[in-house]
């Protein structure tokens, strides 16, 4: 039986925010079409950049669009600065609002602080916290990110800390090794891996905790 959560941390881009749809629509508005192959190439370029010396996510995102899609730099910077306005998944706001009745819900995201207000404006409320790469100066899947979050929230590694993500590679593999309860969310661009729990979406997760309607 799973331990009840005392903390829920969430990947944001790809789990709460539909980043594939958002990025596809953003680049299309600048005259560039992006299919699945191009999207994956952008993500792969970002992953390589994130494994090197720290740069802001906006800088990495913008440069990935220049290098991979040949988008002009001004448009790329504008897209990166507004990434938090990309659409939420339909269940994200209701699901998170309900889950916050079970435990603090904290963003743990490879993004910047400037994206926080954009995402929370869409949610219609503030999350319990927002800890991003800009704060900790590194990117998931580095264990140092979780170490920093644990220190900031004064929460030890263990099954009462649940980490929620659509990505085994960026999130769940590291979280599982650290002893956390891991929750895999099935999203259109999810990367499956072993987890403690699988859920269709955040509403379903809230229901499984006895908080759904």
């Amino acid at each position: 039986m799973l331990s009840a959560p005392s903390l829920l941390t969430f990947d944001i881009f790809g789990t709460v925010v539909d980043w594939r749809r958002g990025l596809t629509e953003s680049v299309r508005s600048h005259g560039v079409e992006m299919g699945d192959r191009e999207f994956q190439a952008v993500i792969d370029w970002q992953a390589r950049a994130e494994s090197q010396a720290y740069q802001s996510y906006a800088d990495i995102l913008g440069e990935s669009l220049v290098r991979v899609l040949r988008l002009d730099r001004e448009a790329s910077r504008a897209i990166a600065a507004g990434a938090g306005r990309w659409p939420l998944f339909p269940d994200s706001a209701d699901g998170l609002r309900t889950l916050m009745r079970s435990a603090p819900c904290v963003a743990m995201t490879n993004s910047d602080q400037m994206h926080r207000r954009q995402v929370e404006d869409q949610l219609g409320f503030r999350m319990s916290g927002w800890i991003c790469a800009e704060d900790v100066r590194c990117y998931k899947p580095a264990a140092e990110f979780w170490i920093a979050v644990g220190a900031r929230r004064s929460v030890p590694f263990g099954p009462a800390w649940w980490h929620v993500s659509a990505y085994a590679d960026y999130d769940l593999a590291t979280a599982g090794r650290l002893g956390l309860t891991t929750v895999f969310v099935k999203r259109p661009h999810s990367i499956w891996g072993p987890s403690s729990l699988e859920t269709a979406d955040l509403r379903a997760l809230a229901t499984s905790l006895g908080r759904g309607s």
Side-chain angles (χ1 to χ4, degrees), residues 10-57:
F10 292 82
D11 171 62
I12 297 296
F13 287 88
T15 302
V16 174
V17 173
D18 188 346
W19 68 337
R20 182 171 66 174
R21 176 185 162 195
L23 184 54
T24 299
E25 291 176 353
S26 293
V27 300
R28 182 180 294 132
S29 72
H30 292 277
V32 175
E33 292 295 328
M34 184 180 69
D36 289 345
R37 184 174 64 180
E38 291 81 10
F39 177 75
Q40 190 59 52
V42 168
I43 300 310
D44 290 344
W45 194 97
Q46 292 178 21
R48 290 191 293 272
E50 289 168 356
S51 69
Q52 299 170 15
Y54 175 78
Q55 306 173 64
S56 74
Y57 181 65

Side-chain angles (χ1 to χ4, degrees), residues 97-117:
R97 183 183 287 107
T98 305
L99 286 164
M100 287 177 69
R101 306 203 314 253
S102 295
C105 291
V106 174
M108 185 177 166
T109 167
N110 282 356
S111 67
D112 301 333
Q113 276 292 337
M114 70 177 177
H115 298 120
R116 176 179 188 169
R117 182 170 181 177

Side-chain angles (χ1 to χ4, degrees), residues 181-201:
T181 295
T182 53
V183 181
F184 172 72
V185 184
K186 300 172 186 176
R187 296 301 196 195
H189 184 257
S190 57
I191 303 295
W192 184 87
S195 61
S196 310
L197 179 67
E198 294 188 13
T199 185
D201 57 35

Side-chain angles (χ1 to χ4, degrees), residues 55-180:
Q55 306 173 64
S56 74
Y57 181 65
D59 285 347
I60 290 173
L61 172 55
E63 191 65 19
S64 71
L65 302 181
V66 172
R67 298 293 187 90
V68 177
L69 301 181
R70 303 295 186 244
L71 201 64
D72 74 78
R73 201 166 296 277
E74 182 178 357
S76 298
R77 287 173 177 165
I79 290 170
R85 299 188 186 95
W86 293 343
L88 304 176
F89 287 106
D91 57 278
S92 291
D94 289 347
L96 277 170
R97 183 183 287 107
T98 305
L99 286 164
M100 287 177 69
R101 306 203 314 253
S102 295
C105 291
V106 174
M108 185 177 166
T109 167
N110 282 356
S111 67
D112 301 333
Q113 276 292 337
M114 70 177 177
H115 298 120
R116 176 179 188 169
R117 182 170 181 177
Q118 298 168 358
V119 172
E120 291 181 337
D121 281 351
Q122 294 196 77
L123 290 171
F125 57 88
R126 289 178 67 85
M127 295 183 66
S128 308
W130 182 283
I131 302 173
C132 61
E134 183 180 12
D135 300 321
V136 302
R137 316 304 281 187
C138 68
Y139 287 91
K140 298 179 294 181
E144 288 79 7
F145 204 137
W146 277 266
I147 292 168
V149 171
R152 285 167 181 255
R153 299 295 305 188
S154 299
V155 175
F157 294 136
W161 175 353
W162 289 30
H163 188 68
V164 183
S165 177
Y167 297 95
D169 51 353
Y170 271 81
D171 287 81
L172 301 181
T174 303
R177 285 196 297 270
L178 293 171
L180 279 57

